[in-house]
Amino acid sequence: MKTKLTLIALAVMLISSNSALSAGGGGVIADPGAMQGKHFDPKGKAPSTYTVELQNGLRKTLPFDDKRDFEEAQKGFIAAPAYKQIMADAGNVAWDMGSYEFLMQGKDFDSVHPSLQRQAILNMAYGLYEVVPGKIYQVRGFDLANISFVKTDTGWIVFDPLTAKETARAALELVNEKLGKRPVVAVVYSHSHGDHFGGVRGVVDEADVKSGKVKVIAPAGFMDHAVAENVYAGNAMTRRMYFQYGVLLPRSPFGHVDQSIGKNTAAGNLGLIEPNVYITQPFEKMTVDGVEMEFQNTPGTEAPAEMNTYFPQFKAFWAAENITGTIHNIYTLRGALVRDALAWSKNINNALYRYGNEAQVMFASHSWPRWGNDRIQEVMRTQRDSYAHLNNEVLHLANNGVTINEVHNVYKQPESLKTKWAAHSYHGSEEHNSRAVINRYLGYWDANPATLIPLSPKDSAPLYVEMMGGSGKIIAKGKQLYQQGKYREAMEIINKLVYAEPNNTAAKDLLADIFEQIGYQKESPSVRNSFLGAAYELRHGMPTGASPKSNGPDMIKAMTTELWLNSLAISMDSKKAAGMKFVINLSTPDNGEKFVVEMSNSALTNIKGQQAKNPTLTITLNRSDLERVMGGQTNFEKLLAEGKAKFDGDRKAFDQLRSTLTVFTPDFELMPGTKAQKPEPKPNHEPFAAQELAITAGE
């Protein structure tokens, strides 16, 4: 079946087409590509004079004389590998840092915010680095995250084994080649995002974990959150990630330059091995093969389940993803529950007072380490205060009447934080993080009744266009504003026209030009990518191609039966369920689970641990066989024929449920007029298969 490309397929396509990696001295790349100076799109625009003036002004005012991050990013370099690319087992290129070689030309790009260009260069570090002499090492630049290795009496403890099996395996091979081969005795998942566990099968064998030979350690709640955060709105998240991660953008000064916490996400084999040790207490000590560790649970910070680690023997603090080289997302643009900036700040403060007074090195799952107690405390306080100021000042403004639709234009960091690189919002942005704080506490409504039940944009836009005198006048005014460098004002009116007239090519081209200049000016790559990605789709529409399945058996196995049933209820077209009424008992004997699934009032509900006395239908099958259905390897009809599933009662209930289910595909418009015709939801030919999950990175 031909559908729009999924995020993973597009990533594979783009990575595979990029140039090879050349390892430079000191672990950085030093051979710029010949074609990178040209604009990737003949319809695109170079940076305007207004954008150039803005960038030049920033180069004069930002604290570029503080070069400590560059010194720290290169400190401890041991070696970069000789190979140029990391290949995936499927045959595609899983990872290619060479596609970003243009960053190492030693020139300023006016199409890139100067602060972002600095961050992008810092993230070019590639290879093996020593963090604590003879004890702790990192491989950086092999994936979005870092993979860390702690030497034990007999082997390695691996912290955060990247996104893909292939990149994690390559990192372990590099470590063993340069430092001597040692077995992996433990793996630590710092938190529940895919770039911190997905490569685990590249460093350990599941049989060794199940036997207890290898410990896999994770914070309480890890398994639930590793999958659950991405299930219910996973298809929408996948589509939105096209913009946040710049999936369609070529890697060039005019396109994708960085992802703030790393270059990009590896396009390899994502897996998951269930932990056999959970950290359940706020602070919990453990010794693994001679290495003492204290884990600090920090739930509700960067991830719902996350933990820091302190190594008292080495005076080393592992900050997970709670303290990196950027202020993070309180609201991530792919979509997720809003995070708690105050809790984040308080957890950093707890770490500061518990470990910060004696730590001599701080390293993390992204960015680069910080050495020296004064430096560590400086960075910890900077990030603590950034999250605290964001939370407190936004709520201060809200309590003075500033609304969610105004705060992004009002909230400003204090000057004392603006001068510190660790307070810059590369992964987050002040604009979308400030709105997130209000959304967390007060919700999306600004308390103006006119915005409580607004018209949809496609319905309101024609009214605006009519009152503004039609498309000709709007385009003329939009061009005037564009030529004056008033890009947000121009966006306001041209966006209305594009919604009113989605096939108006002149309007879409002008809006793309506007988006492009705004994107060039943004410090956050997520915001930059979103504007440039929207410009790309306005000019070219959405690409088509075959869409491969990305749900692997590990992720299906990790999905609870209740989570799967909840996802079925979301994939159900309630209009097709009108008038249906039935009760199904579901039993999976191999794990002893029982559920009641009920259809009434066009809603599908379930309850665990119950069985209805007089069900319409009872379905019995093992959870292991259900997992094959969830993964699309088989279906209920085949299991019934094989005697592996049993129906007792009226199977009409099953057939009715199946008839309501649809498959979600990430091919809906984000910008009007980028798709010729919006199709009806497609029927799911494997209707009980789990929907695709947006777990490529999850940041």
Side-chain angles (χ1 to χ4, degrees):
M1 180 177 68
K2 293 287 185 179
T3 65
K4 297 295 179 181
L5 283 168
T6 65
L7 176 69
I8 292 175
L10 286 162
V12 169
M13 174 186 74
L14 291 173
I15 291 172
S16 299
S17 66
N18 282 316
S19 59
L21 168 69
S22 329
V28 296
I29 309 303
D31 184 19
M35 52 80 67
Q36 297 293 355
K38 300 178 181 178
H39 197 289
F40 66 83
D41 189 316
K43 294 173 70 177
K45 300 292 189 294
S48 68
T49 56
Y50 298 99
T51 297
V52 173
E53 288 173 7
L54 174 67
Q55 314 295 43
N56 284 335
L58 290 167
R59 292 182 186 113
K60 295 175 183 177
T61 57
L62 287 167
F64 286 109
D65 55 338
D66 182 355
K67 301 183 183 302
R68 289 176 295 173
D69 285 336
F70 285 94
E71 296 165 1
E72 291 163 335
Q74 287 303 307
K75 183 175 179 178
F77 174 72
I78 295 173
Y83 48 78
K84 296 180 179 180
Q85 295 175 331
I86 300 173
M87 302 299 296
D89 293 347
N92 61 282
V93 178
W95 185 251
D96 184 359
M97 279 282 277
S99 57
Y100 294 98
E101 290 175 351
F102 63 88
L103 289 164
M104 308 310 294
Q105 294 181 23
K107 60 179 288 187
D108 292 330
F109 296 112
D110 292 327
S111 55
V112 183
H113 189 289
S115 176
L116 173 56
Q117 183 172 342
R118 173 188 177 277
Q119 184 80 353
I121 293 170
L122 281 164
N123 281 331
M124 290 298 287
Y126 178 76
L128 174 62
Y129 294 80
E130 185 177 63
V131 179
V132 174
K135 295 297 182 182
I136 299 178
Y137 303 86
Q138 283 191 319
V139 174
R140 303 204 288 272
F142 274 44
D143 209 322
L144 187 68
N146 304 325
I147 181 171
S148 301
F149 297 84
V150 179
K151 184 181 287 187
T152 68
D153 289 345
T154 65
W156 299 113
I157 301 174
V158 176
F159 274 69
D160 285 3
L162 307 181
T163 308
K165 176 177 71 174
E166 295 88 343
T167 52
R169 182 175 61 208
L172 178 60
E173 289 172 353
L174 177 63
V175 167
N176 283 334
E177 174 193 344
K178 300 299 181 182
L179 303 176
K181 188 170 184 179
R182 303 167 71 85
V184 173
V185 299
V187 174
V188 176
Y189 301 145
S190 72
H191 64 284
S192 52
H193 289 153
D195 53 323
H196 302 267
F197 65 77
V200 63
R201 291 187 181 274
V203 297
V204 294
D205 189 284
E206 186 172 18
D208 291 334
V209 177
K210 288 185 173 180
S211 71
K213 179 181 177 181
V214 174
K215 287 182 170 64
V216 175
I217 306 166
F222 169 84
M223 283 298 286
D224 290 338
H225 294 299
V227 179
E229 184 179 37
N230 307 282
V231 171
Y232 300 141
N235 187 68
M237 286 185 187
T238 298
R239 181 67 179 97
R240 292 159 66 104
M241 285 172 77
Y242 283 41
F243 281 7
Q244 180 182 352
Y245 280 81
V247 173
L248 300 179
L249 300 176
R251 296 170 185 182
S252 85
F254 304 96
H256 192 279
V257 298
D258 199 56
Q259 206 55 50
S260 73
I261 51 174
K263 296 314 298 178
N264 214 315
T265 306
N269 200 329
L270 184 145
L272 175 60
I273 296 176
E274 184 173 2
N276 53 17
V277 178
Y278 285 97
I279 304 304
T280 60
Q281 301 303 311
F283 299 95
E284 194 166 327
K285 294 181 179 180
M286 182 183 302
T287 300
V288 176
D289 197 26
V291 174
E292 299 173 17
M293 296 176 284
E294 181 173 276
F295 298 104
Q296 176 199 4
N297 257 318
T298 62
T301 51
E302 190 272 336
E306 187 150 357
M307 63 185 186
N308 300 326
T309 307
Y310 186 64
F311 302 87
Q313 295 158 294
F314 314 135
K315 297 190 183 307
F317 176 63
W318 161 263
E321 199 166 333
N322 289 319
I323 305 172
T324 61
T326 172
I327 297 303
H328 215 288
N329 291 306
I330 301 303
Y331 165 68
T332 179
L333 298 181
R334 67 180 168 89
L337 295 177
V338 172
R339 296 157 185 169
D340 188 341
L342 182 59
W344 204 326
S345 173
K346 286 184 176 295
N347 274 293
I348 294 175
N349 212 18
N350 288 337
L352 171 63
Y353 277 87
R354 193 175 182 95
Y355 312 119
N357 289 323
E358 65 175 32
Q360 293 301 316
V361 62
M362 178 172 65
F363 65 118
S365 55
H366 295 280
S367 308
W368 47 91
R370 320 291 183 139
W371 283 272
N373 188 253
D374 289 346
R375 174 65 162 156
I376 291 166
Q377 290 201 40
E378 175 197 345
V379 173
M380 292 179 85
R381 283 190 165 87
T382 295
Q383 296 222 336
R384 177 200 65 182
D385 295 347
S386 293
Y387 292 115
H389 185 273
L390 173 71
N391 183 86
N392 300 339
E393 178 65 13
V394 167
L395 289 177
H396 179 88
L397 292 169
N399 280 307
N400 277 289
V402 178
T403 72
I404 193 170
N405 294 324
E406 300 167 324
V407 69
H408 53 287
N409 295 316
V410 179
Y411 173 75
K412 303 295 180 186
Q413 272 192 328
E415 291 300 322
S416 58
L417 285 176
K418 289 180 181 178
T419 61
K420 299 181 184 297
W421 289 116
H424 282 245
S425 297
Y426 300 105
H427 212 38
S429 77
E430 291 178 26
E431 293 91 344
H432 72 262
N433 277 347
S434 59
R435 299 186 77 188
V437 172
I438 290 188
N439 189 47
R440 180 178 180 86
Y441 288 96
L442 296 174
Y444 65 87
W445 185 40
D446 64 0
N448 180 345
T451 66
L452 185 57
I453 46 173
L455 291 169
S456 297
K458 66 181 178 63
D459 297 323
S460 65
L463 299 175
Y464 285 92
V465 170
E466 179 184 0
M467 293 302 295
M468 285 189 280
S471 61
K473 287 188 175 181
I474 296 172
I475 289 177
K477 182 62 175 179
K479 286 181 176 178
Q480 181 186 57
L481 291 168
Y482 177 86
Q483 291 164 359
Q484 294 172 347
K486 297 179 179 179
Y487 302 123
R488 291 177 66 196
E489 291 87 342
M491 175 178 67
E492 188 74 15
I493 61 172
I494 300 301
N495 186 59
K496 293 283 195 304
L497 177 55
V498 170
Y499 267 97
E501 300 178 9
N503 295 319
N504 187 325
T505 301
K508 289 194 293 184
D509 286 347
L510 179 54
L511 186 57
D513 293 345
I514 294 164
F515 281 168
E516 192 169 50
Q517 295 302 321
I518 295 173
Y520 290 161
Q521 295 180 9
K522 290 302 175 182
E523 182 178 48
S524 165
S526 294
V527 177
R528 170 190 172 90
N529 293 343
S530 296
F531 278 98
L532 296 186
Y536 183 97
E537 291 194 15
L538 284 166
R539 290 168 177 154
H540 300 284
M542 293 169 56
T544 59
S547 177
K549 287 189 70 63
S550 59
N551 278 347
D554 288 347
M555 301 313 301
I556 295 297
K557 185 177 179 180
M559 187 183 296
T560 65
T561 305
E562 183 176 13
L563 194 61
W564 172 70
L565 289 171
N566 292 345
S567 70
L568 286 184
I570 294 168
S571 67
M572 187 191 80
D573 185 339
S574 64
K575 294 184 290 296
K576 294 181 180 179
M580 293 183 184
K581 188 175 180 63
F582 55 75
V583 176
I584 298 175
N585 280 344
L586 173 64
S587 175
T588 52
D590 59 341
N591 67 354
E593 287 188 334
K594 295 180 183 297
F595 291 86
V596 179
V597 181
E598 185 173 352
M599 174 80 82
S600 63
N601 298 310
S602 298
L604 189 69
T605 61
N606 70 82
I607 184 170
K608 185 178 180 180
Q610 300 286 339
Q611 293 281 266
K613 292 182 179 179
N614 298 298
T616 312
L617 174 67
T618 296
I619 300 176
T620 305
L621 78 166
N622 284 332
R623 162 72 196 203
S624 57
D625 289 317
L626 180 60
E627 288 170 7
R628 295 171 58 217
V629 175
M630 292 161 61
Q633 287 86 40
T634 189
N635 57 41
F636 277 96
E637 300 298 341
K638 292 179 181 178
L639 292 178
L640 287 167
E642 296 166 359
K644 294 181 178 179
K646 183 180 179 182
F647 283 7
D648 290 315
D650 186 357
R651 75 161 282 162
K652 180 182 177 183
F654 173 84
D655 293 331
Q656 284 184 322
L657 175 58
R658 179 168 59 181
S659 72
T660 68
L661 300 179
T662 57
V663 64
F664 298 130
T665 55
D667 60 355
F668 52 83
E669 287 183 345
L670 292 177
M671 293 302 303
T674 55
K675 186 175 179 181
Q677 184 176 356
K678 190 172 180 63
E680 292 297 317
K682 300 175 179 65
N684 190 343
H685 300 294
E686 295 290 347
F688 293 95
Q691 296 288 345
E692 297 298 311
L693 308 182
I695 54 172
T696 305
E699 305 292 0

